């Protein structure tokens, strides 16, 4: 047992190979590290490597490169040592995505003219589909009574988490709003847009209660769809979902500020208005509504060559070639062939 | 097939219960879910045993012997409202306590755990392990320091932990409550008095060096195991429960040897347990040591880290309404 001469990748550290380089995604600690494809290839058939064999396989120069990268994996705690006999005890991570909800997340937009109540939305559009994670957006100023009514309903129902994106009207005094977030523990995050600076007002506490301000003016649906490493999701749940489904639109619904039901609020096609519809049953089944759900990154042009494809979000509302639903997201500035990012936020948000 | 009615006894803030409920609602294939949460008050009760082996046990008009039953957390509360205090106390002793104890061990064909599983005796469990050739660390429970000294010199390194429950609380006058916990700790020579003395019964075990630790969830003969690389972190070396949140221990899926699984399955049958979580040590020499079994332990972190969907398995078991598990039921009653 003493000769643990194999290095083995931890089951939750997964290699994704891109066209010109690879990435190791650490799904437990939510980080990634880039490695060359030639090194990734060593693990393409099995997730371990016999260190004793290395000197036989590599020449002097390559052997030292190999050892360098093994050291990198060790430093990041991506590998452990084991013996030949122990190899069979370490199975691969099961990569199936299983989630008990027909709808997993909802985006609900409000403005001063919205005459829908959150109570009805919860009752008719969330509860029957087990949808427990929602995002609420307001592009314009809303009064505090509106938010208090909203959060009271949310606190008393089965919703697990809520994200707010609202307009900053606090004139730099955030004590009140911070208290509000602290008192309402289902609030995952609060983003204040059209603010004077980009700042973290309150840090997260076990994934909840984060408050940030952004200079970005989120005044319409069109701000969305930006692809950036900041938005990467490196968890087992999002990774396994990305393997077979669209990483943004799968099992999502949105209700725009006028009450139109869509897959995504930035899309044009509406499938009815909540004023007249009291169930999503037929909408969810509508092949036109759910046509994007199974468009995984492996099916999308350019993305299919990208090393970040299973940790990246997607967008089908703004496409490089609008008439081709498999085309690359328009607001992605990454080129997986050259590994260069060439883009700026401003040009996308205009 | 008739749709099952389901009883879940738990606590309202238990997130594992929440996830299982989500799966149940997702399948929707049940008649009704009754939630017995926290201190669940029994307001009315009825039990009828009649000829032709008929039985009917009802709590608050819910026929519990016809429901699928999952015990997770919480307990029953039943009180008499007789105005005389001493009469009330005696009534509780002679009538209510036996009834509660019957309900806490209530067993029927489709259930996961019972309240009484909370009290599986850890010493008894270790004794069963000896019988079944499941390796355990050398164990000493003693009241005598000389005996402890001998045990230490024989085993080189030893630890102490609680005999049963690591948590207890104490009322300090009327105003304060003190909570104690006894995590696993090393015992060295300087901890033991030199001159011979006695103390209240205490639990000692040989310290077993770890290559890694294993947590294995068991349900009706199926094992879902996870390895915890606790040795890479000073904080978690002795007891992985000294969690390091910033840099969590690596937790990945593991497959226990079939031979060990078979023995552990036998252990579960002996203990009449159909669900629980094992704590096991794997040594640098490649040996497995049984530490303990947690009958109603946490499984969510295991399910999440290994993508096992244990909550889904539990929901499916509850919905099966006992059809398939009759074999196991008879095995448990052999």
């Amino acid at each position: 047992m003493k000769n643990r001469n194999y290095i083995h990748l931890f089951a939750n550290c997964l290699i994704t190979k891109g066209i010109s380089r690879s990435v190791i995604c650490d799904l437990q600690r939510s980080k990634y590290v880039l490695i060359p494809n030639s090194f990734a290839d060593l693990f393409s058939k099995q997730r371990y490597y016999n260190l004793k064999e290395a000197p036989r396989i590599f020449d002097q120069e390559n052997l030292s490169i190999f050892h360098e990268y093994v050291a990198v994996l060790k430093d990041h705690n991506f590998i452990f040592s084991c013996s030949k006999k122990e190899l069979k005890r370490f199975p691969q991570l099961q990569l199936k995505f299983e989630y008990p909800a027909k709808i997993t997340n909802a985006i609900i937009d409000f403005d001063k003219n919205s005459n829908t109540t959150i109570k009805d939305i919860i009752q008719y559009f969330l509860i029957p589909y087990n949808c427990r994670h929602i995002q609420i957006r307001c592009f314009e100023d809303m009064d505090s009574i509106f938010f208090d009514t909203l959060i009271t309903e949310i606190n008393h129902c089965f919703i697990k988490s809520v994200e707010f994106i609202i307009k900053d009207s606090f004139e730099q005094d955030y004590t009140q709003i911070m208290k509000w977030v602290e008192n309402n523990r289902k609030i995952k995050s609060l983003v204040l847009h059209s603010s004077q600076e980009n700042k973290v007002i309150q840090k997260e506490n076990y994934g909840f209660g984060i408050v940030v301000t952004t200079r970005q003016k989120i005044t319409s649906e069109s701000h969305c769809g930006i692809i950036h490493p900041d938005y990467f999701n490196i968890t087992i749940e999002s990774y396994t979902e990305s393997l077979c489904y669209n990483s943004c639109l799968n099992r999502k619904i949105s209700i725009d500020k006028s009450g139109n039901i869509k897959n995504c609020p930035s899309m044009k096609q509406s499938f009815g208005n909540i004023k007249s519809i009291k169930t999503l049953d037929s909408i969810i089944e509508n092949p036109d509504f759910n046509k994007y759900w199974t468009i995984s990154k492996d099916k999308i042009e350019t993305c299919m060559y990208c090393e970040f494809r299973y940790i990246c979000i997607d967008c089908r509302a703004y496409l490089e070639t609008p008439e081709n639903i498999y085309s690359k997201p328009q607001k992605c500035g990454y080129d997986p062939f050259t590994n260069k990012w060439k883009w700026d936020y401003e040009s996308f948000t205009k | 097939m008739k749709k099952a009615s389901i009883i879940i006894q738990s606590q309202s803030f238990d997130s594992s219960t929440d996830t299982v409920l989500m799966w149940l609602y997702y399948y929707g294939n049940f008649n009704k879910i009754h939630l017995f949460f926290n201190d669940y008050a029994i307001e009315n009760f009825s039990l009828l045993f009649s000829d032709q082996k008929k039985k009917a046990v009802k709590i608050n008009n819910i026929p519990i012997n016809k429901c699928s039953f999952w015990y997770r957390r919480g307990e029953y509360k039943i009180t008499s409202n007789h105005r005389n205090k001493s009469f009330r106390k005696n009534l509780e002793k002679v009538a209510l306590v036996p009834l509660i104890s019957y309900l806490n061990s209530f067993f029927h064909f489709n259930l996961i755990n019972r309240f009484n599983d909370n009290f599986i005796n850890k010493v008894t469990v270790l004794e069963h392990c000896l019988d079944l050739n499941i390796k355990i660390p050398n164990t000493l429970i003693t009241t005598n320091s000389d005996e402890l000294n001998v045990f230490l010199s024989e085993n080189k390194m030893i630890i102490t932990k609680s005999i049963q429950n690591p948590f207890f609380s104490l009322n300090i006058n009327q105003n304060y409550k003190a909570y104690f916990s006894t995590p696993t700790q090393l015992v060295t020579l300087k901890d033991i008095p030199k001159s011979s003395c006695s103390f209240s019964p205490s639990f000692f075990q040989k310290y077993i060096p770890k290559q890694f630790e294993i947590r294995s969830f068991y349900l009706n003969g199926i094992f879902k195991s996870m390895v915890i690389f606790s040795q890479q972190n000073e904080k978690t070396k002795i007891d992985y429960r000294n969690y390091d949140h910033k840099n969590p221990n690596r937790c990945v899926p593991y497959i226990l040897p079939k031979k060990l699984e078979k023995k552990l399955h036998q252990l579960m049958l002996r203990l009449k347990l159909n669900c629980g979580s094992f704590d096991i040590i794997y040594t640098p020499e490649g040996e497995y040591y049984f530490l303990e079994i947690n009958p109603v332990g946490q499984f969510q972190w295991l399910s999440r880290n290994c993508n096992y969907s244990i909550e889904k398995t539990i929901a499916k078991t509850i919905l099966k309404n006992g059809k398939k598990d009759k074999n196991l039921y008879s095995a448990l009653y052999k």
Side-chain angles (χ1 to χ4, degrees):
Chain A
M1 277 299 162
K2 286 278 156 63
N3 39 4
R4 295 195 160 88
N5 50 311
Y6 282 78
I7 51 162
H8 198 306
L9 282 159
F10 286 111
N12 46 28
C13 297
L14 297 172
I15 298 177
T16 315
K17 205 177 160 190
I19 189 80
S20 15
R21 62 178 179 182
S22 295
V23 68
I24 297 186
C25 304
D26 181 343
L27 304 184
Q28 189 180 1
R29 295 177 184 168
S30 284
K31 65 175 193 181
Y32 65 85
V33 169
L34 296 156
I35 53 168
N37 276 346
S38 54
F39 187 65
D41 284 340
L42 299 178
F43 298 96
S44 63
K45 286 201 183 71
Q46 77 295 315
R47 296 180 44 81
Y48 50 83
Y49 203 84
N50 186 353
L51 288 180
K52 271 199 177 147
E53 262 180 27
R56 210 166 45 78
I57 287 166
F58 302 110
D59 61 28
Q60 206 57 42
E61 195 193 336
N62 280 322
L63 188 64
S64 75
I65 297 172
F66 171 77
H67 282 302
E68 250 171 64
Y69 275 102
V70 170
V72 169
L73 296 190
K74 241 183 212 149
D75 282 350
H76 288 284
N77 191 231
F78 290 158
I79 50 171
F80 61 96
S81 312
C82 71
S83 69
K84 191 175 184 189
K85 207 179 149 196
E86 288 164 346
L87 288 173
K88 61 171 186 266
R89 301 279 154 229
F90 296 95
Q92 289 185 33
L93 193 70
Q94 296 170 36
L95 292 174
K96 56 183 194 293
F97 172 71
E98 295 192 301
Y99 195 86
K102 284 182 177 152
I103 297 291
T104 56
N105 66 108
I107 300 178
I108 305 158
D109 293 344
F110 288 98
D111 70 4
K112 286 196 175 107
N113 301 320
S114 303
N115 50 5
T116 54
T117 67
I118 188 75
K119 201 173 178 171
D120 284 350
I121 291 174
I122 292 168
Q123 186 186 342
Y124 298 118
F125 304 119
L126 303 184
I127 289 177
Y129 310 97
N130 256 350
C131 175
R132 303 181 68 179
H133 301 278
I134 64 170
Q135 185 179 75
I136 306 252
R137 303 190 306 180
C138 303
F139 304 128
E140 57 179 36
D141 253 351
M142 304 289 277
D143 57 28
S144 61
I145 300 167
F146 166 80
F147 289 114
D148 284 337
T149 328
L150 209 64
I151 203 68
T152 309
E153 286 297 337
I154 290 168
N155 286 342
H156 290 97
C157 79
F158 84 143
I159 285 174
K160 263 188 165 170
S161 78
V162 53
E163 299 171 8
F164 282 100
I165 298 176
I166 64 178
K167 196 175 171 202
D168 188 347
S169 57
F170 301 98
E171 284 158 1
Q172 310 229 288
D173 180 12
Y174 299 112
T175 38
Q176 283 291 99
I177 192 78
M178 276 162 70
K179 213 120 220 111
W180 187 71
V181 171
E182 204 183 304
N183 290 338
N184 297 291
R185 310 202 37 188
K186 290 188 180 183
I187 301 177
K188 202 172 166 61
S189 63
L190 172 70
V191 176
L192 300 163
H193 66 79
S194 313
S195 190
Q196 294 189 352
E197 53 180 339
N198 298 329
K199 200 175 167 191
V200 177
I201 304 290
Q202 183 135 289
K203 280 189 191 156
E204 56 134 22
N205 179 14
Y206 289 98
F208 277 76
I210 185 167
V211 182
V212 297
T213 58
T214 171
R215 288 217 303 270
Q216 208 186 339
K217 289 184 170 45
I218 304 175
T219 48
S220 78
E221 293 84 358
S222 67
H223 88 281
C224 200
I226 296 162
I227 308 292
H228 188 273
D230 286 354
Y231 304 140
F232 283 174
N233 259 323
I234 316 171
T235 66
I236 291 179
E237 202 170 278
S238 55
Y239 189 97
T240 51
E241 187 173 20
S242 302
L243 290 173
C244 300
Y245 304 98
N246 189 275
S247 50
C248 180
L249 297 164
N250 185 38
R251 306 195 204 176
K252 182 195 236 59
I253 60 149
S254 74
I255 296 166
D256 76 7
K257 52 187 188 283
S258 317
N260 294 313
I261 301 166
K262 301 174 182 176
N263 188 185
C264 149
S266 302
M267 286 175 168
K268 288 188 183 69
Q269 193 178 4
S270 165
F271 293 83
N273 195 289
I274 58 169
K275 273 174 234 150
S276 50
I277 290 175
K278 292 281 173 266
T279 170
L280 293 176
D281 288 356
S282 55
I283 292 176
I284 294 176
E285 301 300 322
N286 185 338
D288 234 15
F289 182 80
N290 62 33
K291 68 182 167 196
Y292 299 112
W293 291 11
T294 51
I295 301 183
S296 63
K297 289 284 193 189
D298 284 339
K299 295 177 184 162
I300 296 168
E301 290 168 7
T302 313
C303 294
M304 64 173 78
Y305 301 108
C306 181
E307 62 275 22
F308 301 120
R309 62 190 178 277
Y310 304 131
I311 54 175
C312 190
I313 55 155
D314 188 51
C315 176
R316 295 292 94 200
Y318 304 108
L319 299 174
E320 218 166 56
T321 322
E323 56 278 5
N324 174 10
I325 62 166
Y326 296 102
S327 112
K328 182 190 172 186
Q330 185 201 13
K331 301 182 193 180
C332 170
Y334 184 67
D335 181 350
F337 293 89
T338 61
N339 305 134
K340 290 211 163 63
W341 293 89
K342 49 164 177 35
W343 71 308
D344 57 300
Y345 265 118
E346 306 299 321
S347 67
F348 289 127
T349 48
K350 261 173 202 161
Chain B
M1 197 171 117
K2 214 179 133 228
K3 284 182 182 173
S5 277
I6 295 158
I7 297 168
I8 296 176
Q9 189 169 11
S10 188
Q11 284 168 344
S12 43
F13 284 99
D14 181 60
S15 74
S16 305
T17 307
D18 190 60
T19 314
V20 171
L21 277 169
M22 243 181 114
W23 277 106
L24 289 171
Y25 283 113
Y26 179 70
Y27 288 125
N29 187 27
F30 55 82
N31 181 27
K32 201 175 158 80
I33 299 179
H34 305 281
L35 300 177
F36 293 3
F37 273 6
N38 309 325
D39 291 333
Y40 182 73
I42 298 177
E43 265 138 31
N44 57 65
F45 179 83
S46 132
L47 178 150
L48 180 72
F49 294 160
S50 60
D51 36 21
Q52 287 113 35
K53 288 185 175 171
K54 288 241 168 79
K55 75 172 176 183
V57 187
K58 287 181 189 169
I59 292 175
N60 298 343
N61 298 319
I62 299 158
I64 62 167
N65 59 319
K66 287 192 178 140
C67 294
S68 293
F69 193 105
W70 179 33
Y71 175 80
R72 167 88 189 125
R73 293 282 150 92
E75 56 191 297
Y76 290 120
K77 217 175 92 185
I78 182 167
T79 44
S80 122
N81 49 8
H82 199 278
R83 60 195 140 76
N84 181 305
K85 198 180 166 191
S86 100
F87 185 84
R88 201 163 66 219
K89 278 235 155 109
N90 276 311
L91 187 68
E92 270 172 24
K93 221 199 280 166
V94 299
L96 303 185
V97 168
L99 203 56
I100 295 258
S101 120
Y102 168 75
L103 288 174
N104 284 340
S105 58
F106 186 76
F107 202 103
H108 71 103
F109 61 90
N110 196 40
L111 116 168
I112 303 174
N113 285 130
R114 302 173 285 174
F115 176 78
N116 275 6
D117 294 349
N118 280 311
F119 307 107
I120 292 286
N121 188 298
K122 291 192 180 178
V123 184
T124 312
V125 172
L126 290 176
E127 193 177 22
H128 280 307
C129 287
L130 269 189
D131 273 9
L132 291 165
N133 280 324
I134 299 169
K135 271 206 186 75
I136 56 165
N138 293 339
T139 301
L140 172 77
I141 298 176
T142 186
T143 56
N144 179 295
S145 67
D146 295 336
E147 218 178 351
L148 178 58
N149 264 317
V150 174
F151 187 72
L152 175 61
S153 67
E154 277 173 6
N155 291 289
K156 305 289 182 285
M157 253 175 112
I158 61 171
I159 56 102
T160 182
K161 60 180 188 180
S162 59
I163 295 176
Q164 189 68 18
N165 189 344
F167 307 104
F168 75 99
S169 61
L170 194 69
N171 288 317
I172 299 173
N173 57 55
Q174 251 94 62
N175 301 321
Y176 299 99
K177 199 165 194 179
Y179 292 91
F180 296 86
S181 79
T182 45
T184 307
Q185 256 164 2
L186 278 176
V187 177
T188 58
L189 254 182
K190 67 176 188 329
D191 298 316
I192 309 167
K194 284 200 180 67
S195 50
S196 132
C197 68
S198 67
F199 37 77
S200 53
S202 304
F203 185 100
F204 303 96
Q205 268 185 335
K206 181 178 183 173
Y207 172 78
I208 305 295
K210 301 162 191 165
Q211 182 70 14
F212 43 74
E213 290 177 76
I214 297 158
R215 175 91 169 178
S216 186
F217 175 81
Y218 170 99
L219 176 62
N220 292 336
I222 305 295
F223 290 81
K224 294 281 180 192
S225 308
M226 173 172 85
V227 47
I228 306 154
F229 286 83
S230 52
Q231 298 312 287
Q232 299 166 331
N233 190 329
E234 281 304 321
K235 254 179 113 173
T236 55
K237 242 180 172 166
I238 304 291
D239 190 341
Y240 69 76
R241 287 169 298 187
N242 301 325
Y243 302 111
D244 185 343
H245 291 286
K246 275 211 180 105
N247 205 19
N249 284 329
R250 276 288 171 207
C251 296
V252 291
Y254 193 77
I255 300 170
L256 286 174
K258 270 274 156 304
K259 240 170 122 179
L260 179 60
E261 284 191 355
K262 271 186 188 154
K263 286 181 191 171
L264 293 173
H265 177 60
Q266 285 306 316
L267 176 67
M268 292 302 265
L269 293 180
R270 280 192 181 201
L271 298 169
K272 293 195 195 314
L273 275 176
N274 65 352
C275 185
S277 297
F278 295 98
D279 284 335
I280 296 163
I281 286 177
Y282 183 77
T283 68
E285 284 70 41
E287 287 182 314
Y288 294 89
Y289 279 88
F290 172 97
L291 287 188
E292 58 181 56
I293 166 85
N294 300 281
V296 292
Q298 290 293 356
F299 52 81
Q300 195 167 37
W301 61 308
L302 197 150
S303 185
R304 274 193 196 150
N305 277 313
C306 302
N307 202 24
Y308 279 150
S309 304
I310 288 173
E311 296 85 355
K312 179 186 168 183
T313 312
I314 290 175
K316 277 191 150 174
T317 307
I318 294 170
L319 287 170
K320 254 197 295 196
N321 206 9
K323 282 282 182 286
K324 249 195 179 151
D325 290 330
K326 278 208 168 146
N327 289 333
L328 196 85
Y329 175 68
S330 56
L332 286 168
Y333 263 117
K334 244 193 323 223

